[in-house]
Amino acid sequence: MLKKLFFSPIKNHIVVNDRWGKGVTGKHGGFLTYSDHYDPGHIVERKWENCMTLDKNAWGYRRDMKASDVYTVYELVTQLIRTISCNGNLLLNVGPDKYGRIDPIFVDRLTEFGKFINFFEEAIFGTKPWIHQSDSAMIW
């Protein structure tokens, strides 16, 4: 019975995450999703997703947010590298205000992060994790 629930004639042509029920994260879907800001520190055999926000404290817009509440470009790059090295994809959320505007600090972070990604795209896109994820505390 359970097998019939998960059968789909198009299952090999779509991507589905596993954030759809209690106690099922990290078990089903085209890629695995765990807790927010998930960082296993080791290779995960199946593709997985690191869901995080630019704001360290919220997924949505906060009027009282301070600059210190926003990840630095260095912290974002570090998380991207750790995620890629462990066979993951990075989902980075930005919370707009009630008018749909993006806070200038978010624009700045995304612009600088984008410059890093564009410069090092050959080392990011289409790569595969090596057999070791960490050679030291700062080398991933």
Side-chain angles (χ1 to χ4, degrees):
M1 173 70 175
L2 189 60
K3 191 173 186 176
K4 286 183 181 180
L5 290 174
F6 297 109
F7 176 76
S8 169
I10 61 167
K11 68 180 173 50
N12 295 326
H13 305 286
I14 61 171
V15 176
V16 178
N17 74 19
D18 61 351
R19 287 184 271 170
W20 52 269
K22 185 176 180 181
V24 297
T25 57
K27 296 181 177 137
H28 306 286
F31 61 93
L32 306 177
T33 304
Y34 297 93
S35 61
D36 294 348
H37 303 269
Y38 182 70
D39 183 357
H42 59 83
I43 195 164
V44 175
E45 291 300 320
R46 286 194 52 209
K47 204 53 136 164
W48 59 280
E49 182 174 69
N50 176 0
C51 304
M52 62 179 290
T53 61
L54 276 177
D55 182 341
K56 295 176 183 178
N57 301 310
W59 279 83
Y61 178 77
R62 294 186 306 130
R63 289 185 307 193
D64 62 345
M65 181 184 68
K66 300 180 209 115
S68 61
D69 294 336
V70 180
Y71 284 104
T72 65
V73 174
Y74 178 82
E75 290 170 319
L76 293 172
V77 167
T78 299
Q79 196 58 60
L80 175 67
I81 292 167
R82 290 176 63 102
T83 300
I84 291 170
S85 73
C86 295
N87 198 33
N89 292 322
L90 181 65
L91 179 149
L92 185 58
N93 177 73
V94 177
D97 69 12
K98 65 183 179 180
Y99 301 106
R101 293 183 297 226
I102 304 298
D103 196 286
I105 195 167
F106 291 161
V107 172
D108 176 65
R109 293 297 196 273
L110 291 172
T111 300
E112 294 305 310
F113 191 46
K115 287 178 184 176
F116 174 87
I117 291 170
N118 285 336
F119 188 81
F120 292 103
E121 67 181 287
E122 188 177 350
I124 296 171
F125 299 106
T127 61
K128 295 179 183 173
W130 193 45
I131 57 173
H132 299 287
Q133 280 58 63
S134 177
D135 289 333
S136 71
M138 296 303 295
I139 300 175
W140 284 82

